[in-house]
Amino acid sequence: FTWEGYILDDSVNAPRHLDAWTWDGVAATLEAVDKYTLKFTFPVSKPMTAFYLMNEDTFIVMPAHQLKQYHPKWSETPTDYKTFENILSPDKLPIVTMGPWVITEYKTDELMIMRRNPYFWRVDESGQQLPYMDEIQYVKGPSGAGRDLCTMAGNCDHMNLENPSTFVEVMKRAQEADATFNVTWGPETLGYEVILNQSVDYGAQSDGDKAVRELLRDLRFRKALSYATDREGIAQAIMRGPFLRGWAGGLFPGAPEFDQDSVVYYAYDLPSAQALIAEVGLKDTNGDGFVEWTEGPMAGETVVLSLNANEDQREAVNIAEALVNQWGAAGLKINYRTITSAAWTDVSTAGTWDMHIDRTGQAFALPFTRVTDLAPMTKTAPVWHREGDTARMLQPFEERMVEIMTEYRDTYDSAKRKELMSEYNKLFTENVYAVGVIVGRYGLGLAKRTMNVPSGAPAFMYTWVEDAIMLDTLWAPVDQQTPQNRPETVPTYAP
């Protein structure tokens, strides 16, 4: 059902569709051999990337007995894909799961409580059924910074430190004698960049939209944006000291396949930015400090670029506010607004955006886990160059990126893989595929009472730490356990 109803059906919102399961134009197939056996067939031998196409965040197994009846392909009554997408309301509990806990209570924008799954299939080495913890509670917070404060106060057990503006206070609090948590730091994989919509027409709704897309596809203009960005100034404004630094974008410095010599860096140089903007053909014709279009359907109009940032990412907001002024000094008028994460998902999917402050994802730390996110290999990725009903127009360097990642995705030769990623990173930074801003490290804050977490586990590498560690084996000493919110609650399913 997951394969036929989600991966093969482009109308359903799925992490990956069949184009991600395709090699040299030939797609993989999946068949049910018998009731308990599935067989994948690939058009190439031993494709390494297949293992990562099957991981938990990419191949999400959906419960056919609950959902198939509502899918437009199988529903006995007329329906549509929007209805199917929303068929399970958040309060329809308990959800179907094979995991160690089951959501038994949910209040919108307040809390979610998960109770021990009595049907969970795993046991420990002594035969005791897992998980050890009876209950997990999630509380809705205003932002990641709110979660940090909650953990610092001892009211929460876990925080992924991803907001550098709180780092100093967190480190100070962790050193105090009565601190209830410890902090560890991972490699440099915390990067913020400005992604630029480089689709010619996908989501473009007016002549102005199309003119902006043409600008964002012009390497001279992308270089101008890089030259106009005072990265070190932004880094120091957010957090004084060496913890954050300017970043060109592309692979994270903490990525195992990162090659420093592959980086092309257009550092802050306002005169160079202004010169390139003029070379593109934009000029301040009315003396108001902002450039205007000088030709085409927008001639005489002020160049206005929209810039979005997720409101729940404090550093994205800080960076956006800084860029409004920095790019304004280069003559560019920036229309900036904060949006919710949900709104960004809708906007990015529709393609109705110009620029967005992005906290860059896992693909740039471990490319082999998200190969198709790094080049235009599927219709939906990268997010800044989606494909709609018409074939997208790839830039020459993008064509080479597709070739690189196609070769990279299936080779087991580690030296060759690093060589390929060095070429990829040079293309990315040289062509300013996205404007890198700052890079730093994620921190992991955990309550001291939490046992069985591997020492030095990073907050973010292959995945977020809560998915990377075996949560079902975590425990706390009896004298440090906190009262349960819903004791004796057992998830039960109606027939």
Side-chain angles (χ1 to χ4, degrees):
F1 172 63
T2 298
W3 181 264
E4 295 178 356
Y6 287 76
I7 292 174
L8 297 188
D9 193 336
D10 289 343
S11 297
V12 176
N13 185 16
R16 297 290 185 280
H17 288 293
L18 192 61
D19 51 6
W21 293 78
T22 300
W23 287 258
D24 299 324
V26 182
T29 61
L30 176 64
E31 60 180 304
V33 177
D34 57 43
K35 189 175 180 180
Y36 301 104
T37 310
L38 297 173
K39 179 182 178 181
F40 282 95
T41 302
F42 300 96
V44 296
S45 177
K46 299 180 181 179
M48 181 177 181
T49 188
F51 293 109
Y52 298 97
L53 285 170
M54 297 181 196
N55 72 14
E56 62 179 334
D57 292 326
T58 304
F59 193 100
I60 302 174
V61 180
M62 309 303 290
H65 71 280
Q66 186 177 37
L67 290 170
K68 191 172 183 178
Q69 60 186 313
Y70 302 114
H71 194 293
K73 285 188 176 181
W74 291 282
S75 176
E76 295 181 356
T77 57
T79 187
D80 55 53
Y81 285 98
K82 190 64 177 178
T83 300
F84 176 64
E85 179 180 341
N86 298 317
I87 200 66
L88 293 184
S89 61
D91 57 357
K92 187 176 178 59
L93 301 174
I95 65 168
V96 175
T97 181
M98 293 178 66
W101 297 277
V102 184
I103 301 172
T104 56
E105 186 172 340
Y106 175 77
K107 294 182 180 179
T108 304
D109 290 340
E110 289 187 38
L111 61 80
M112 180 172 73
I113 295 177
M114 303 173 70
R115 294 289 301 176
R116 196 173 184 277
N117 183 0
Y119 304 103
F120 188 53
W121 54 279
R122 292 187 63 211
V123 297
D124 66 12
E125 63 272 20
S126 66
Q128 179 174 331
Q129 186 185 15
L130 297 171
Y132 294 133
M133 290 191 292
D134 290 306
E135 181 180 280
I136 297 178
Q137 176 182 344
Y138 291 86
V139 180
K140 171 71 174 179
S143 66
R147 178 186 57 209
D148 299 346
L149 294 173
C150 183
T151 305
M152 290 166 62
N155 297 321
C156 294
D157 295 312
H158 165 226
M159 57 180 166
N160 292 325
L161 286 163
E162 56 197 24
N163 297 283
S165 57
T166 68
F167 285 2
V168 172
E169 292 304 316
V170 167
M171 288 187 286
K172 287 181 178 178
R173 178 70 181 110
Q175 294 174 20
E176 295 176 0
D178 63 343
T180 59
F181 65 96
N182 291 314
V183 175
T184 57
W185 299 96
E188 281 189 309
T189 57
L190 172 59
Y192 287 85
E193 65 184 2
V194 187
I195 56 176
L196 315 167
N197 194 337
Q198 294 169 55
S199 172
V200 172
D201 53 11
Y202 183 64
Q205 300 172 318
S206 65
D207 288 340
D209 291 340
K210 294 176 182 178
V212 168
R213 300 294 177 81
E214 186 177 344
L215 266 186
L216 298 179
R217 287 175 61 90
D218 190 320
L219 175 57
R220 296 171 297 175
F221 187 75
R222 296 198 300 272
K223 288 170 66 174
L225 293 178
S226 182
Y227 280 132
T229 304
D230 182 2
R231 296 169 170 86
E232 298 302 332
I234 293 174
Q236 293 304 304
I238 292 173
M239 184 179 183
R240 299 288 294 177
F243 213 93
L244 300 176
R245 60 191 177 96
W247 175 51
L251 292 188
F252 295 128
E257 293 171 333
F258 175 76
D259 173 13
Q260 185 173 341
D261 293 336
S262 70
V263 178
V264 178
Y265 190 35
Y266 305 107
Y268 181 55
D269 185 344
L270 188 56
S272 292
Q274 293 169 325
L276 283 171
I277 289 171
E279 185 179 324
V280 170
L282 308 178
K283 297 180 181 179
D284 180 8
T285 57
N286 59 14
D288 66 350
F290 297 111
V291 297
E292 283 77 43
W293 307 97
T294 57
E295 56 184 25
M298 299 300 293
E301 297 290 328
T302 300
V303 176
V304 180
L305 304 173
S306 69
L307 175 66
N308 299 326
N310 286 0
E311 65 182 16
D312 58 347
Q313 295 179 7
R314 182 62 249 175
E315 259 45 76
V317 173
N318 290 339
I319 290 169
E321 291 173 347
L323 290 179
V324 170
N325 294 322
Q326 291 182 5
W327 290 354
L332 300 174
K333 190 169 187 177
I334 308 300
N335 182 9
Y336 159 63
R337 64 170 182 153
T338 58
I339 58 176
T340 65
S341 296
W344 165 238
T345 298
D346 292 339
V347 168
S348 61
T349 301
T352 52
W353 60 284
D354 295 341
M355 305 184 297
H356 180 77
I357 306 296
D358 187 47
R359 192 177 67 210
T360 309
Q362 178 195 32
F364 295 94
L366 298 164
F368 53 83
T369 65
R370 296 285 189 275
V371 171
T372 57
D373 284 0
L374 276 80
M377 302 172 70
T378 68
K379 290 185 176 182
T380 58
V383 67
W384 57 86
H385 198 175
R386 287 177 178 261
E387 181 173 310
D389 296 331
T390 58
R392 63 191 148 197
M393 295 175 58
L394 298 185
Q395 300 161 95
F397 73 91
E398 288 182 297
E399 294 176 351
R400 177 55 189 155
M401 281 181 164
V402 172
E403 294 173 352
I404 290 171
M405 298 314 299
T406 299
E407 183 177 358
Y408 172 92
R409 72 190 299 201
D410 295 319
T411 179
Y412 288 77
D413 184 334
S414 58
K416 182 61 175 177
R417 291 162 69 85
K418 186 161 186 176
E419 177 187 327
L420 288 168
M421 289 316 302
S422 292
E423 183 183 355
Y424 172 90
N425 202 48
K426 185 175 187 296
L427 285 171
F428 190 107
T429 55
E430 186 175 54
N431 290 280
V432 197
Y433 205 22
V435 183
V437 183
I438 59 172
V439 69
R441 301 171 187 269
Y442 284 101
L444 172 61
L446 279 178
K448 293 178 180 179
R449 69 191 190 94
T450 307
M451 303 296 167
N452 255 1
V453 178
S455 178
F460 172 79
M461 197 66 177
Y462 281 84
T463 184
W464 290 104
V465 70
E466 53 268 34
D467 292 326
I469 60 179
M470 299 174 70
L471 277 176
D472 49 320
T473 66
L474 301 189
W475 58 278
V478 173
D479 62 346
Q480 297 180 44
Q481 293 177 10
T482 56
Q484 297 180 37
N485 295 282
R486 301 292 184 267
E488 307 304 324
T489 297
V490 178
T492 57
Y493 295 87

